[in-house]
Each structure stands twice: as structure tokens, then as C-alpha cells.
């Protein structure tokens, strides 16, 4: 089957059949499709779209382009295999809490996570702030972590969905990321290859999300649920608001510290708590570990409140090479040498945050990568970022910048000020509740 004929069919608005899609995916893996041909088809898909059958066929072919994990064969037959995926945001440390909570409720959570992408943070980068933590354990270490903790947050490795690895890298540099069928196939192929029994998706909208408009995010959520369900993977999707930093902090070590305080019950930002418990509830219910979503939420709440989730997290970190007792204070989370408040220029309330700019400020501080392979500085970020609608007095900190030096701190302070819309008076009621609720699909 000639690549040019497949590209021509899509270019002219035709639907591709499973054989054509299979040829494309094989070509991605064995190199028989060139970068130019693969990117040309991706661009044709961006313009012409794909129907449900094509999207499902693409997801299937990409899922089977590499290894498909079999947890039963690996000796984990007793528990449902569960995972969560977020479309990415700023301050989104939910995975660090969700994995141990779900493990404490009886799920097996081999959570395949990613690195930072653009302005959004990555779970693997966050965990690497823990001295010694290995995101690429050998199989024996991974299995030991899963046996001891019930969860292991790790990277995908080269064998899972290799077609996505090549296609994603091409899309990244050819302006072909923003395509609903390509995003659906990319996300779900990795999740299905991870051998899951159920999945929960956190689909974000707002100024810090990749899908800014609520309607775009809702369409993505619907497509993800439809395609996953058709493939036999029970999936729930929640839509959540990314018009402000999730939780208090954004930055790798800062977010790990926040997650630890959350798991220990010391400090739980209400929106972060609500979203974490809602995602846990959706996943536990989808995975058959609770009869109703309400019962699932109660189970998750108890696992958190009783410290069982914190203990699972500590076991996971120790098994994957991190500190032996991560719940004890002073185990060595790195701290930034420069910590400066960003004073509010006037009295008023926070009417809006440009959250994407806040994420980019963290990247510029060294908390993310400007080009592939850059080293991350785990110490840097933004701490105690004021919530949307919060009242502020002149001179009060809108956020604290954690930086490696004075000049990067000054640049980040300017970025925070520019990202903040401060309006005189008290916030309207609608703004005060924005983002508190999670929209269930
Ligand atoms: N995340 C993915 O894994 N793939 C996409 O295409 C977009 C977000």
C-alpha cells in the first residue's frame, strides 16, 4: 500500500479503512513511512478529521504497535488495574495523591506518567525532585514496588506504543498536535498498552489548559470515553477548571512538598481535595471496587484521612529508590536559595490569572524544559499562589517566587504581576465558586 495513496485519500476528505491505518502505523514503527509522509498524513488528519471508526482503528493499531502489558500473567491477578490521565495543567499534582489513595482502596496502579510539556508540568519531573527516585525501574523493581505499595508512578519506556512515540515527536514539530482524533489515539494507545481494567480522565479547560474552551474539552472528553469504551476499557472523564493554579504551588519540589502535606492531612487546598477525591471515586467505581460513586468517594476519603494513602506513597518512594521515610521531615527535598514575595500593587481581588503564563514562568525559572534534554532545576517555582477571587491588600504576596538566583526571580516576579488581573472591591459570587465544582460527564 503506497503511503502517497493513503495520504491522498485523507487529503481529499475520504475515510481511511483499517488496512490503510494499519499500514501507516506499521510504517511509523518500521521506518517504511518517512517523516515527511507521516507528517503529511498527520496534517491531512488535522484538516479533514477522522470519524469514530477511523479513530478507533488508529487507537487499536497504535496500542498494538508494541508491547501490551499483561498484569495477570505477571502475577497480579487479584486486583483491578487502574489509572488516571490528565490532559495537563499548572500545579496539577493529583497523580501523586490519587495513585496511593486508589492503591489503599484495593486497586493496582502502575501509573505510566509523562514529562512536562509546554507550559504544563510533568509527574515524572516532580517525582525526580525526590533524591534517588527512579522513574525507569527494571521490571523486578517495578513488580516489587507494586507488591509493596500497590502503586508505582513510572515512565513509559521504549516498548509501549512506539508508534505514538514517533508520531508524537513529529506532531510536536509540525503543528499537528491539536487534532482531536490524534490526541485520542495518542492518549488511549498508551493507556491500553499499559493493560488497564479501567481509566479515569481529567480533561481540563481554561487559561492553563491545552483546550482553553470548555466546548473543546467537552468534545475531547466525549471522544475519549466513546473510543475507550468501544475498545472495552471502561473510562470516565471529568472536566475540570484550569483558570487558576491547582492547589497552592507550581514547581517540582514545591509540588511534591504540597502532595506530602496533603497526604499527611496537614494542608489540603479545597479544590485540589475535591478534584482528587472525585477522580478517585470515578476510578474506583469504574474499576468495580465500589457499588456507587458516592461509596467510592467515601472509601477514598477514609484511605486519605486514616493515613493509609500516605503510607502507600512512602512505600512506593522507598521501593523505587527514593528516601526510605519520605513522610519524615528533613529527608532532603531541595529548596531554592532565593525566595521572594510578589507584592500586590493595589487593594482588590484576583479577577483572573493567565495560568499559561504562570506555567511558562516556572519553565523560565528552570522548572521545565525549553528544548528537549534540558536539565530541570527541581527547586524552583511559584509557591502559595493566591486563588481566583481572593481578596488582597496592597503589598500582600500574590505568590512567592522560588528561584535559583536574583535575576531569574525578578523576571518571574514580573511575569506573575503581568499574569494577574487585579480588580478593586470584593469578587462577585460566581467568581468565588469558579473551579470549585468538577463537571462530570
Ligand atoms: N497527551 C498525549 O499523550 N498525546 C497527545 O496527543 C496530547 C496530550
Amino acid at each position: 500500500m503506497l503511503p502517497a495513496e493513503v495520504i491522498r485519500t485523507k487529503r481529499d476528505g475520504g475515510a481511511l479503512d483499517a488496512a490503510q491505518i494499519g499500514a501507516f502505523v506499521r510504517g511509523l514503527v518500521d521506518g517504511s513511512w518517512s517523516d515527511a509522509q507521516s507528517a503529511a498524513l498527520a496534517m491531512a488528519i488535522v484538516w479533514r478529521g477522522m470519524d469514530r471508526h477511523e479513530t478507533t482503528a488508529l487507537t487499536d493499531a497504535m496500542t498494538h504497535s508494541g508491547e501490551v502489558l499483561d498484569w495477570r500473567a505477571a502475577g497480579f491477578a487479584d486486583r483491578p488495574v487502574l489509572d488516571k490521565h490528565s490532559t495537563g495543567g499548572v500545579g496539577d499534582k493529583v497523580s501523586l495523591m490519587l495513585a496511593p489513595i486508589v492503591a489503599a482502596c484495593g486497586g493496582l496502579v502502575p501509573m505510566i506518567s509523562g514529562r512536562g510539556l509546554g507550559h504544563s508540568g510533568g509527574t515524572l519531573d516532580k517525582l525526580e525532585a525526590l533524591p534517588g527516585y527512579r522513574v525507569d525501574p527494571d521490571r523486578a523493581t517495578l513488580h516489587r514496588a507494586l507488591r509493596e505499595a500497590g502503586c508505582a508512578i513510572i515512565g513509559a519506556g521504549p516498548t509501549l506504543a512506539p508508534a505514538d512515540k514517533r508520531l508524537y515527536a513529529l506532531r510536536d514539530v509540525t503543528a499537528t498536535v491539536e487534532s482531536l482524533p490524534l490526541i485520542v489515539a495518542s492518549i488511549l494507545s498508551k493507556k491500553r498498552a499499559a493493560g488497564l481494567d479501567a481509566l479515569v480522565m481529567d480533561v481540563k479547560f481554561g487559561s492553563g489548559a491545552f483546550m482553553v474552551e470548555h466546548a473543546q474539552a467537552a468534545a475531547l472528553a466525549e471522544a475519549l470515553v466513546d473510543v475507550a469504551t468501544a475498545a472495552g476499557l471502561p473510562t470516565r472523564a471529568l472536566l475540570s477548571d484550569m483558570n487558576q493554579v491547582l492547589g497552592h504551588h507550581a514547581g517540582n519540589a514545591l509540588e511534591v512538598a504540597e502532595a506530602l502535606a496533603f497526604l499527611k492531612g496537614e494542608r489540603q487546598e479545597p479544590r485540589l481535595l475535591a478534584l482528587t477525591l472525585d477522580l478517585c471515586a470515578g476510578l474506583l467505581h469504574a474499576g468495580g471496587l465500589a457499588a456507587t460513586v458516592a461509596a467510592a468517594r467515601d472509601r477514598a476519603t477514609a484511605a486519605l484521612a486514616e493515613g493509609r494513602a500516605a503510607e502507600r506513597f512512602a512505600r512506593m518512594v522507598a521501593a523505587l529508590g527514593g528516601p526510605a521515610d519520605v513522610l519524615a521531615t528533613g529527608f532532603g527535598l531541595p529548596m531554592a536559595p532565593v525566595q521572594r514575595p510578589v507584592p500586590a500593587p493595589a487593594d482588590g481581588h484576583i479577577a483572573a490569572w493567565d495560568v499559561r503564563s504562570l506555567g511558562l514562568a516556572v519553565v523560565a525559572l528552570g522548572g521545565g524544559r525549553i528544548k528537549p534534554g534540558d536539565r530541570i532545576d527541581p527547586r524552583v517555582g511559584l509557591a502559595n499562589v493566591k486563588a481566583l477571587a481572593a481578596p488582597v491588600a496592597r503589598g500582600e504576596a500574590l505568590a512567592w517566587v522560588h528561584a535559583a538566583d536574583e535575576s531569574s526571580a525578578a523576571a518571574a516576579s514580573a511575569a506573575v504581576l503581568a499574569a494577574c488581573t487585579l480588580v478593586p472591591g470584593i469578587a462577585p459570587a460566581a467568581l468565588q465558586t469558579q473551579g470549585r465544582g468538577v463537571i462530570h460527564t
Side-chain angles (χ1 to χ4, degrees), residues 247-385:
H248 296 294
H249 309 330
N252 296 298
L254 284 166
E255 291 189 49
V256 172
E258 182 173 1
L260 284 167
F262 184 105
L263 286 165
K264 292 199 273 181
E266 293 167 356
R267 195 180 186 208
Q268 295 173 335
E269 195 276 327
R271 283 178 310 116
L272 181 61
L273 179 63
L275 180 58
T276 302
L277 291 176
D278 283 352
L279 288 165
C280 287
L283 186 54
L284 292 170
H285 183 236
L289 285 171
T292 63
V293 175
R297 205 173 194 282
D298 289 347
R299 275 190 83 168
T301 306
L304 181 60
E306 291 163 12
R308 287 184 282 120
E311 199 195 311
R312 296 280 176 158
F313 185 79
R315 282 192 233 163
M316 172 186 82
V317 168
L320 293 175
D325 187 2
V326 77
L327 299 178
T329 45
F331 60 82
L333 206 50
M335 306 255 293
V338 176
Q339 300 182 16
R340 297 274 175 271
V342 183
D347 293 343
H349 70 270
I350 313 266
W353 278 116
D354 174 353
V355 181
R356 186 167 183 278
S357 294
L358 294 180
L360 290 174
V362 176
V363 173
L365 280 164
R369 292 177 192 80
I370 291 166
K371 51 182 189 334
D374 278 354
R375 257 179 90 85
I376 295 255
D377 184 343
R379 306 168 301 173
V380 303
L382 303 175
N384 291 308
V385 182

Side-chain angles (χ1 to χ4, degrees), residues 63-81:
T63 303
H64 294 102
S65 67
E67 186 184 15
V68 176
L69 300 181
D70 182 347
W71 295 103
R72 310 270 175 281
F76 294 95
D78 54 334
R79 281 166 285 172
V81 183

Side-chain angles (χ1 to χ4, degrees), residues 37 101 142 166 213 219 264 271 287 349 393:
Q37 290 166 329
I101 293 174
L142 169 62
R166 177 152 178 238
E213 298 304 326
K264 292 199 273 181
R271 283 178 310 116
H349 70 270

Side-chain angles (χ1 to χ4, degrees), residues 168 171 183 186-187 190:
Y168 195 88
R171 288 167 61 212
I183 293 174
S186 169
I187 292 174
K190 284 174 288 208

